[in-house]
Amino acid sequence: SSSSSSSSSSSSSSSPSFLTPPGACLPLGLMEAVLEYGSTANKALAVRFRLLAQETAAIDLPPQRLDEVCREIQDVVRQIQIPSPVIQKLIKLLNLPSTPNLSSSSSSSS
């Protein structure tokens, strides 16, 4: 089995065929918790999110309306103010430098 060990060691030392930036997938439950227990702005977004999520469950929802609702949900997600401790934990977990692009709007001071 020396051939299998040499083949695996050579593949691990070769460079990847493409590079991607580091990323993270957060559980939907975390987003919902930030909406429910976060800032006043997030709580307002939570109401909108729940209404839109309920609308997606309608059996007779026309496809065009479903597309609109999905776009509106994306808009809600983009507006969520992520608490600074969550951002800092992600920076640490992903071993990223702290950058302005990763700070939440609620943690910036004027």
Side-chain angles (χ1 to χ4, degrees):
S1 280
S2 64
S3 64
S4 66
S5 65
S6 65
S7 107
S8 65
S9 65
S10 66
S11 65
S12 65
S13 64
S14 65
S15 61
S17 57
F18 64 94
L19 300 174
T20 60
C25 181
L26 303 177
L28 187 60
L30 176 62
M31 182 198 74
E32 290 175 335
V34 168
L35 284 173
E36 293 296 326
Y37 305 109
S39 67
T40 304
N42 282 350
K43 289 178 183 175
L45 290 171
V47 171
R48 186 171 167 216
F49 176 79
R50 277 195 303 275
L51 292 171
L52 291 167
Q54 288 173 353
E55 191 172 349
T56 65
I59 294 172
D60 57 348
L61 190 66
Q64 285 181 321
R65 179 61 188 147
L66 180 59
D67 288 344
E68 292 169 8
V69 170
C70 288
R71 280 191 294 275
E72 290 179 47
I73 289 173
Q74 285 178 323
D75 184 53
V76 167
V77 170
R78 284 186 190 107
Q79 292 180 56
I80 296 172
Q81 295 177 358
I82 303 168
S84 184
V86 174
I87 292 171
Q88 294 306 313
K89 184 71 171 180
L90 284 173
I91 288 170
K92 184 177 177 182
L93 285 171
L94 296 173
N95 198 26
L96 298 173
S98 183
T99 64
N101 293 341
L102 295 176
S103 65
S104 78
S105 57
S106 61
S107 64
S108 60
S109 48
S110 316

